[in-house]
């Protein structure tokens, strides 16, 4: 993608498993994803995700482990 067509603004999105992703802000949210409450440059959004997504395990796995069902 050349610089003229690269997205200028991004947003952080989160799915039901509390996994984060970046999406160009001009695009509609895909099914299963919600707005993560942060928009900005790709670098700013990446920094936000790095700061806030501290446990990479899916929510279902974290719940199972908390209930003693995981190893």
């Amino acid at each position: 993608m050349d610089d003229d067509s690269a997205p200028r603004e991004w947003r952080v999105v989160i799915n039901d498993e509390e996994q984060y992703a970046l999406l160009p802000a001009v695009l509609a949210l895909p099914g299963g994803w919600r707005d993560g409450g942060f928009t900005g440059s790709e670098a700013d959004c990446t920094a936000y995700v790095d700061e806030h997504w501290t446990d990479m395990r899916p929510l279902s796995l974290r719940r199972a482990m908390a209930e003693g069902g995981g190893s």
Side-chain angles (χ1 to χ4, degrees), residues 57-71:
R57 297 173 299 164
L59 179 60
S60 57
L61 176 60
R62 289 182 304 201
R63 285 181 175 157
M65 292 180 77
E67 295 170 359
S71 318

Side-chain angles (χ1 to χ4, degrees), residues 24-44:
V26 298
L27 297 180
L29 285 172
W33 293 85
R34 66 183 184 277
D35 191 285
F38 188 87
T39 58
S41 69
E42 185 175 13
D44 289 343

Side-chain angles (χ1 to χ4, degrees), residues 12-21 29-36 53 55-63:
V12 175
V13 295
I14 305 171
N15 67 15
D16 292 339
E17 287 287 344
E18 295 185 354
Q19 296 169 309
Y20 287 65
L29 285 172
W33 293 85
R34 66 183 184 277
D35 191 285
W53 191 16
D55 190 340
M56 300 295 185
R57 297 173 299 164
L59 179 60
S60 57
L61 176 60
R62 289 182 304 201
R63 285 181 175 157

Side-chain angles (χ1 to χ4, degrees), residues 3-4 7-8 19 23 25 32 47 49 51-52 57 63 65:
D3 289 341
D4 290 338
R8 302 249 189 270
Q19 296 169 309
L23 182 71
V49 170
E51 182 179 333
H52 290 87
R57 297 173 299 164
R63 285 181 175 157
M65 292 180 77

